[in-house]
Amino acid sequence: MQLGPGVRRLLRLPGREAVEGEVDAELAFHVESRVEELVRAGAAPQAARAQALREFGDLPAARAELTALSRARAGRARRAQWWDALGQDVRFALRATWRQPGFAAVTIATLALGIGANAAIFSVVDAVLLRALPYPEPHRLVSVWPDGAAMPGIFKILRDEATTFTPAGYSIEYEVSVTGGGEPARLTALDVTAEFFPVLGARAALGRLFAPRDDEPGRDRVAVISHALWRQRFGSDSAVVGRMIVVDGIPRTVIGVAPRDFRFPSPRGELWIPAPFDPAHVGKYWGSSHLRLLGRLRPGAERGAARAEAAALIDRGRSAFPWRMPDAWGTGIDVVPLQARVVGGVGPTLLVLLGAVGVVLLIACVNVANLFLGRAAGREREIAIRAAIGAGRGRVVRQLLTESLVLAAAGAAAGLALAGWTLRALVELLPPEVPRVTEIGVDGRVLAFTTVLAVATGLAFGLAPALRASRPDLRAALASGGRTGTGERRRLSEVLVVAQVALAVVLVASAGLLLKSFWRLRGETLGFRQEQVVVAEVPVPAFASDTTPRARAFFLDVLERVRAFPDVRAAAFASEVPFGGRGSTRSSFAAFVEAHPTAPGEAGPMLVNTVVTPEFFDALDVPLRRGRTFTAADRAGATLVGVVDEHTARRLWPTEEALGQRVRRIWRDNDWITIVGVVGDVKRDSLSSAGETVIYLPLAQEPFDFVASMFAVVRTEARPAVLAPRLQAAVAAVDANVPVAGVAPLERLVAESAARPRFTALLLAAFAGLALALGAVGIYGVISYAVARRTREIGVRVALGAGTGDVLRMVLREGGTLAAAGLVVGLLAALAAGRAMSGLLYGVAPGDPAVLMSVAAVLGAVALAASLVPARRAAAVDPLVAMRAE
Amino acid sequence: MAADELELLQGTLDVLILKTLTWGPRHGYAVARWIHETSDEALQVEDRALYVALHRLEARAWVEAEWGLSENNRKAKYYRLTTKGRRQLQAETARWTRYATAVFKILQAA
């Protein structure tokens, strides 16, 4: 810039404080110039200065304004520079990546696998565990007495007297027969108390939902239907409000439709019915504990207060019973957040999966870090030159980090696509009891998580190599042409390999423990033969409940017809089928054993009772140990008889023979049941369930009080598809209004119950396989690099007479020590992981030696193989070539 | 300030400064004197406004600034017209001329 003749240029002042100095200098110059001019015109210096200042005006204000302007401009310039540099870094990173497509591809693929797996699992964990329940103020919702359930009588006490929370009750889902509004159908229904919908805060999609007092006798012939049911069965007709439907023989008016995504306690509920409260029916009012409790905390109340109040009220309710309850009943009442209850037992499994997938990502990061270290070695020269030109260390580090982050971003994008693609399949594989499955998807929270993960990953594998690479010994790097392997870099690389092996050990060991667990479960004896058995659900026909003889006659009639089918070996009805799952209602009663009367205040034995027809034990091939099973002689009016299993016989009569003993229901003083037979133990639902005390009672003698359906158990060679229509025809021939549902081979039901452990084990095995593959690749890479570095040394040794075996041994020793170190660390960590997971293990100790030893063997073999390839290449090196190599 | 000296209309200060700088780089004081003299002492620029204007013009890259030494060896900040500034000056001059002509026409109408 030409400033004019005689004007010399000065260097610009740098820095922020300099801005103020500049402004001062400029203004001072102005004032001084004016003063000079006035003095030249003849004024006195003092007067001139005063006049000049006066003429200028408000000097401080001017200075302030100018300073502000300059500062703002300087700030803008700095920010623009920063963005510029960033853009430069990103462009450079992209170019560098493009130049080495192989490296980039491997890195991005590795990261995509690691990040993608994490995104997928996080989607599941987020929807099931983390996200708040979709109701207003969900943190005020609690589950009261999560391990138990209340009788209607107890619930009434809570409803009338609780002040810290508003209680509501709901039963488990069960199936009902519904006619009216379409074909007769089996629907999933729930009994709920009147406060159920208000407590959850749901709003009706149409009509209204239950309000207080809707469950009073006389007003409770109403029902609420689900949104899906409204769409499918009633065609979204708005005139459905006020329609009459018949539910299990009882006419009810539909008063409203539940909101579209109302899914409590599960998405299966189609019909909500007011829970019956009938004090006159003592057995049900005080004896049937079927109401699970939830509540909403009142404003100002906290869980602790609610817990105290609930415990006190329930304890007080003890005296309202018409008989004495065991002292242990109603203790240990807890109030927990509803979300915890909804999630149930699935939490630990999901957390284990999250941990596993995190380990996979760590292994992937270690792999990529090693790749970066290797690549940085080759770039020493370039970086040294850049530093020599004047790029500060910070700038170089930032440059290298940008490369890492760009790769991480690409990996995350690919991983997210992978996750979205596989998520549907993953959800299909989930065990059936996982709640909130419909809410799983890739949404904003998952995106945010993936972004954070990508950044963390990029920093994790990029930071150390960047810091390391930005500090080379300039002169040495420039002189040697950039191929020195500093000792530090090699050590870091080695540490990374040890870490990789350790992580892989942990994952493979955990997978091994779970697989062994699952195997144990599968091997458990069921106590019955599951092959060639078909079960189906046949509901009790819609008669009034006091026509038990007609209900009995119905089932016996159907049974006759089914037994007449050509390929049926045995057929029976039972109130519960092993592994029957959700459809079956489990009945149990408090029993009084004649030979061992329970003292007042003690808890008497609870007997689960299954009502069966005589051929039940044949149909399932349950072995008879002693005595006999039921015959046609055991009918109404004859002596009441029962059959127990061995476990129950030992529990109730530890010192004497069970045959001939008598038990009764605790509230029926005269109805003694005589034990006539002892059969083998049968697993009832999950493979891991402990034995319960069970009594089998004949259909011909049992009332139909609490049973809603009976299950047909048919041993037949025919396939379910063939049997189903015949069964339906047989049932329809007796009563055309009764639908048959749930026809399935027993084998499938048993397999489904093992779904959760199988899912966990298989998924973890998949992750472990991935970890092994990544680990092998990592070890291979590091050993290869180490060998390449020592090419010269190897050449010299060979020239001096070392044989192939010696070279192999040398290389393998290097790989071997690393793997061994990794194994030791990994086994210790695996022990800790096993202990953390012990809740999921069945029949396997966390430190199971067989599993740990096989893991060590497998990983040792993998490490050996991964080292062998570079080792053999090294041994085949021509010494002359090697010695000339750089 | 004499009573008959005109106060500057807003926005015209910028165009006057730009015009002043067409004669070569000047420091702030010189610009002030030049405007005063060339207008036959009719225009007196408030100094604070002048410097704010100069800084603003610099921010918009219509002028460039650099420190140098003045005739009497004092440090002074010199401002120079940039290409962008020159273009801006042309545009503003044209606009000003049109504006003045239009106003004049109306005022002259009898």
Side-chain angles (χ1 to χ4, degrees):
Chain A
M1 159 168 148
Q2 276 290 41
L3 291 180
V7 177
R8 285 188 358 232
R9 181 167 303 179
L10 279 184
L11 218 46
R12 187 171 175 75
L13 298 165
R16 202 177 295 196
E17 316 70 31
V19 165
E20 265 185 25
E22 281 198 8
V23 169
D24 278 343
E26 189 174 10
L27 296 179
F29 173 80
H30 182 103
V31 169
E32 287 309 315
S33 304
R34 180 67 179 141
V35 167
E36 260 186 36
E37 198 177 309
L38 289 173
V39 162
R40 261 197 307 238
Q46 233 114 333
R49 178 166 294 275
Q51 183 181 348
L53 287 173
R54 208 176 40 240
E55 280 175 1
F56 191 96
D58 192 348
L59 196 55
R63 183 196 295 132
E65 195 171 351
L66 290 176
T67 313
L69 276 177
S70 297
R71 280 235 186 88
R73 219 178 66 230
R76 275 198 302 273
R78 262 199 310 275
R79 271 196 298 278
Q81 206 182 31
W82 193 88
W83 279 106
D84 242 359
L86 188 66
Q88 235 177 32
D89 284 346
V90 169
R91 272 194 303 273
F92 189 85
L94 288 174
R95 268 206 308 273
T97 309
W98 195 251
R99 265 204 306 266
Q100 292 181 294
F103 171 84
V106 167
T107 311
I108 294 179
T110 313
L111 290 175
L113 282 174
I115 297 183
N118 271 275
I121 298 292
F122 179 79
S123 304
V124 175
V125 169
D126 187 47
V128 173
L129 287 184
L130 297 178
R131 235 185 276 164
L133 296 173
Y135 308 110
E137 288 193 74
H139 52 283
R140 305 292 290 169
L141 287 172
V142 292
S143 168
V144 178
W145 202 3
D147 306 324
M151 300 78 170
I154 294 294
F155 183 83
K156 183 136 193 332
I157 295 175
L158 284 175
R159 164 196 279 169
D160 291 340
E161 305 193 29
T163 54
T164 53
F165 65 98
T166 313
Y170 61 100
S171 71
I172 59 167
E173 295 160 347
Y174 61 99
E175 295 217 338
V176 294
S177 302
V178 173
T179 53
E183 302 272 304
R186 299 283 292 165
L187 299 179
T188 310
L190 279 181
D191 288 349
V192 299
T193 67
E195 309 86 344
F196 179 73
F197 290 110
V199 157
L200 284 173
R203 320 184 77 137
L206 193 68
R208 71 174 184 87
L209 303 175
F210 294 145
R213 303 192 57 203
D214 272 338
D215 51 17
E216 284 178 8
R219 293 170 56 120
D220 59 350
R221 297 288 198 233
V222 291
V224 169
I225 60 175
S226 73
H227 202 272
L229 187 69
W230 179 48
R231 255 200 335 268
Q232 288 155 8
R233 189 176 172 84
F234 296 97
S236 302
D237 182 9
S238 51
V240 74
V241 176
R243 278 287 272 280
M244 285 281 273
I245 56 175
V246 178
V247 180
D248 271 357
I250 300 176
R252 291 180 182 275
T253 315
V254 176
I255 60 167
V257 178
R260 181 197 307 266
D261 24 2
F262 188 79
R263 290 186 200 107
F264 191 86
S266 88
R268 290 187 297 257
E270 296 168 293
L271 196 63
W272 288 271
I273 299 172
F277 282 87
D278 187 2
H281 197 158
V282 167
K284 202 154 188 199
Y285 196 69
W286 291 107
S288 166
S289 55
H290 59 275
L291 286 175
R292 275 135 223 255
L293 298 172
L294 76 115
R296 183 178 277 280
L297 294 173
R298 296 259 176 91
E302 287 313 316
R303 277 211 310 275
R307 183 181 302 129
E309 185 178 38
L313 285 175
I314 290 177
D315 193 52
R316 239 193 311 133
R318 173 197 293 280
S319 53
F321 278 88
W323 55 78
R324 180 175 172 151
M325 290 296 279
D327 291 343
W329 177 87
T331 54
I333 309 287
D334 200 4
V335 170
V336 300
L338 189 60
Q339 181 142 357
R341 179 78 166 75
V342 166
V343 165
V346 160
T349 306
L350 289 179
L351 290 177
V352 164
L353 285 177
L354 199 60
V357 98
V359 168
V360 168
L361 184 60
L362 274 178
I363 297 182
C365 280
V366 167
N367 252 4
V368 175
N370 252 338
L371 284 175
F372 261 73
L373 271 183
R375 195 173 78 138
R379 293 173 72 184
E380 258 180 355
R381 186 166 192 187
E382 167 208 337
I383 294 174
I385 292 178
R386 223 166 328 138
I389 296 181
R393 180 171 180 208
R395 186 71 205 280
V396 172
V397 169
R398 203 176 76 182
Q399 170 70 60
L400 293 174
L401 265 185
T402 310
E403 288 183 36
S404 313
L405 286 173
V406 163
L407 282 172
L416 209 54
L418 197 65
W421 187 46
T422 56
L423 198 57
R424 277 301 120 209
L426 185 66
V427 167
E428 290 294 314
L429 288 175
L430 285 176
E433 69 260 29
V434 172
R436 306 175 76 180
V437 161
T438 40
E439 298 176 40
I440 297 178
V442 174
D443 64 356
R445 287 161 67 112
V446 174
L447 280 175
F449 171 80
T450 312
T451 312
V452 168
L453 206 61
V455 171
T457 307
L459 288 177
F461 69 75
L463 196 59
L467 287 175
R468 179 110 7 252
S470 64
R471 210 180 34 175
D473 183 356
L474 282 181
R475 227 175 315 149
L478 284 170
S480 72
R483 288 284 297 275
T484 59
T486 59
E488 276 184 65
R489 179 174 306 119
R490 194 185 56 199
R491 241 194 318 279
L492 180 62
S493 202
E494 289 174 354
V495 166
L496 286 179
V497 167
V498 169
Q500 230 176 11
V501 173
L503 288 172
V505 166
V506 170
L507 204 49
V508 175
S510 305
L513 286 174
L514 282 175
L515 279 170
K516 187 165 180 183
S517 240
F518 176 61
W519 196 251
R520 277 273 153 83
L521 277 183
R522 294 293 313 274
E524 283 291 327
T525 44
L526 297 169
F528 58 90
R529 211 149 56 90
Q530 56 175 314
E531 295 84 21
Q532 297 193 319
V533 174
V534 177
V535 303
E537 186 182 353
V538 178
V540 175
F543 308 137
S545 59
D546 57 357
T547 53
T548 295
R550 285 176 65 186
R552 270 195 212 129
F554 167 80
F555 283 107
L556 293 175
D557 198 346
V558 173
L559 209 50
E560 278 307 311
R561 291 165 193 270
V562 172
R563 272 213 287 264
F565 293 162
D567 32 17
V568 165
R569 301 283 178 76
F573 273 107
S575 64
E576 183 186 349
V577 167
F579 297 88
R582 56 181 183 87
S584 46
T585 31
R586 162 97 27 107
S587 287
S588 54
F589 60 83
F592 187 87
V593 179
E594 185 176 44
H596 301 278
T598 43
E602 255 181 39
M606 290 294 287
L607 282 181
V608 174
N609 68 318
T610 308
V611 177
V612 300
T613 60
E615 278 188 16
F616 174 77
F617 303 99
D618 291 330
L620 285 180
D621 214 2
V622 180
L624 174 66
R625 303 290 186 209
R626 297 192 290 288
R628 64 173 181 84
T629 59
F630 303 132
T631 64
D634 303 311
R635 55 172 185 277
T639 323
L640 297 177
V641 294
V643 168
V644 294
D645 63 11
E646 291 178 290
H647 172 83
T648 308
R650 273 195 305 272
R651 278 280 304 278
L652 295 186
W653 297 281
T655 50
E656 55 275 293
E657 170 55 52
L659 290 181
Q661 296 287 345
R662 305 204 303 171
V663 300
R664 65 171 171 84
R665 289 183 163 81
I666 205 168
W667 64 89
R668 298 240 192 98
D669 289 339
N670 296 320
D671 290 340
W672 289 100
I673 301 169
T674 311
I675 306 299
V676 297
V678 177
V679 295
D681 294 333
V682 162
K683 283 244 189 257
R684 305 190 80 79
D685 40 22
S686 86
L687 287 165
S688 58
S689 63
E692 293 170 304
T693 42
V694 173
I695 186 169
Y696 298 93
L697 298 171
L699 176 65
Q701 294 180 337
E702 266 301 292
F704 273 85
D705 264 354
F706 309 137
V707 172
S709 308
M710 295 292 278
F711 288 83
V713 181
V714 183
R715 177 166 291 280
T716 172
E717 280 143 8
R719 281 176 303 114
V722 170
L723 188 66
R726 282 200 242 150
L727 196 53
Q728 176 72 70
V731 169
V734 183
D735 183 335
N737 276 334
V738 176
V740 171
V743 181
L746 189 53
E747 281 178 301
R748 172 147 64 82
L749 297 179
V750 173
E752 278 175 5
S753 83
R756 201 204 305 168
R758 182 178 62 218
F759 170 76
T760 318
L762 287 181
L763 210 57
L764 219 58
F767 291 148
L770 196 58
L772 266 183
L774 287 175
V777 167
I779 295 177
Y780 170 80
V782 166
I783 300 291
S784 291
Y785 179 68
V787 163
R789 227 181 352 94
R790 294 169 76 177
T791 309
R792 223 170 157 191
E793 176 194 345
I794 294 174
V796 170
R797 283 182 193 249
V798 169
L800 288 178
T804 316
D806 297 320
V807 175
L808 273 178
R809 253 198 308 277
M810 185 180 91
V811 174
L812 286 179
R813 195 175 37 232
E814 183 162 355
T817 21
L818 289 180
L823 267 178
V824 168
V825 174
L827 285 173
L828 289 174
L831 272 177
R835 209 155 292 158
M837 261 195 336
S838 53
L840 294 181
L841 298 177
Y842 178 79
V844 176
D848 190 299
V851 170
L852 291 182
M853 283 202 301
S854 9
V855 168
V858 164
L859 271 157
V862 166
L864 194 67
S867 313
L868 210 55
V869 176
R872 293 180 68 155
R873 251 214 321 259
V877 156
D878 178 354
L880 287 175
V881 173
M883 284 196 283
R884 270 198 297 252
E886 246 301 23
Chain B
M1 231 182 291
D4 57 353
E5 281 177 350
L6 307 168
E7 286 186 14
L8 277 180
L9 293 172
Q10 237 179 349
T12 53
L13 183 52
D14 286 357
V15 75
L16 293 181
I17 295 176
L18 290 176
K19 183 66 180 179
T20 308
L21 293 178
T22 55
W23 278 273
R26 296 261 186 286
H27 52 67
Y29 186 72
V31 171
R33 300 308 308 154
W34 176 272
I35 292 178
H36 189 62
E37 283 156 15
T38 312
S39 68
D40 292 332
E41 313 207 343
L43 290 178
Q44 178 71 32
V45 182
E46 195 204 345
D47 295 323
R48 170 179 161 178
L50 173 75
Y51 280 99
V52 168
L54 278 169
H55 278 235
R56 286 225 180 93
L57 290 175
E58 187 189 354
R60 299 167 89 158
W62 291 343
V63 306
E64 239 171 34
E66 198 160 4
W67 282 89
L69 285 183
S70 72
E71 312 78 46
N72 13 16
N73 261 344
R74 279 225 196 81
K75 233 171 38 185
K77 195 172 177 189
Y78 282 81
Y79 293 89
R80 191 201 84 157
L81 200 58
T82 62
T83 320
K84 267 179 82 173
R86 226 172 266 281
R87 275 204 296 269
Q88 180 70 12
L89 175 59
Q90 280 171 355
E92 281 296 302
T93 309
R95 212 164 67 92
W96 226 99
T97 313
R98 278 199 310 272
Y99 175 69
T101 314
V103 170
F104 208 55
K105 275 200 200 136
I106 294 182
L107 291 179
Q108 292 287 50

